[in-house]
Amino acid sequence: MAFAPSSTTSGMHLPEGARDLVKILVAGPFGVGKTTLIDSVSEIRPLHTEERLSEASAPVDDLAGIREKATTTVAIDFGRISLNGGIVLYLFGTPGQERFRSLWEDIAYGALGALVLVDSRRIDASFDVLGLVEESGLPYAVAFNAFPDAPSHFTEDQLRAALDLEPDTPMVTCDARDTNSSVDALLALVQHLIDRHPPETR
């Protein structure tokens, strides 16, 4: 399955041949790159609900390892991408902080799966989000966002063990700034969903 840019990239209308409309969560801890990933793949102008970080948020927004972070999503990010085969993904980026946990059920309602972004520089920051995804029962894939200073000495088995992932949970590396890399991460999730629910059983 490959990425198929829509002929209506600048508009809001669905591309011709759209058949399966799928809601996908893009989840992960604060500052992991969810907004960046949605920006990199969306064929429509993305919707963002970002606010600048202030001194008032300092006690609750942990900037350890992400000191350059200046804004935060306070509701959702939203984008859309069309894939070959008539599949259209609606991407909903979720806030990464614990204080927005009450929004989770509303945002997750109706989603078929989640792409969980992880920062290998601070793996433990992902535990709460992974817990939420697992509690919701959503199938998911994990994508390690390749930050320039991310450690490179971990093996795939070590990363999988650190996150306590099931053997069949897809795990990939991506660069959220790069369209093709981000699309590949989404395709890993879509293939996982198809494998769990083949056409004859849907």
Side-chain angles (χ1 to χ4, degrees):
M1 190 179 294
F3 171 50
S6 168
S7 60
T8 58
T9 299
S10 60
M12 294 296 291
H13 299 290
L14 282 172
E16 292 184 13
R19 178 171 50 85
D20 294 318
L21 311 181
V22 182
K23 180 178 180 179
I24 296 294
L25 299 188
V26 179
F30 176 53
V32 77
K34 301 180 294 292
T35 300
T36 301
L37 184 142
I38 290 174
D39 274 349
S40 75
V41 301
S42 183
E43 65 194 12
I44 60 173
R45 182 178 179 180
L47 167 69
H48 298 305
T49 54
E50 288 202 313
E51 296 292 342
R52 292 195 63 81
L53 291 169
S54 65
E55 291 184 7
S57 69
V60 291
D61 291 334
D62 184 5
L63 293 177
I66 48 171
R67 290 292 173 186
E68 69 281 3
K69 180 77 170 165
T71 61
T72 184
T73 299
V74 295
I76 62 167
D77 293 316
F78 175 77
R80 189 187 77 198
I81 178 174
S82 301
L83 306 176
N84 283 349
I87 298 174
V88 178
L89 305 184
Y90 289 98
L91 306 176
F92 287 75
T94 62
Q97 299 99 306
E98 176 65 24
R99 61 194 171 104
F100 296 116
R101 186 184 182 109
S102 60
L103 290 173
W104 176 264
E105 289 187 3
D106 289 337
I107 297 174
Y109 181 78
L112 292 189
L115 180 67
V116 180
L117 289 182
V118 176
D119 183 348
S120 59
R121 302 171 300 177
R122 47 192 187 98
I123 290 176
D124 57 343
S126 301
F127 294 160
D128 287 344
V129 173
L130 282 168
L132 280 173
V133 174
E134 290 176 351
E135 288 171 17
S136 72
L138 286 175
Y140 64 94
V142 169
F144 282 88
N145 192 9
F147 288 94
D149 57 343
S152 58
H153 57 275
F154 294 121
T155 67
E156 180 176 336
D157 287 343
Q158 287 172 325
L159 292 172
R160 188 174 288 276
L163 294 173
D164 194 25
L165 299 181
E166 295 292 334
D168 65 339
T169 300
M171 191 180 76
V172 299
T173 298
C174 76
D175 183 341
R177 301 166 298 179
D178 180 79
T179 299
N180 290 332
S181 182
S182 297
V183 168
D184 285 345
L186 289 166
L187 287 175
L189 171 62
V190 171
Q191 187 60 56
H192 183 50
L193 297 178
I194 291 172
D195 290 345
R196 289 171 56 93
H197 302 286
E200 63 270 16
T201 65
R202 276 183 279 174

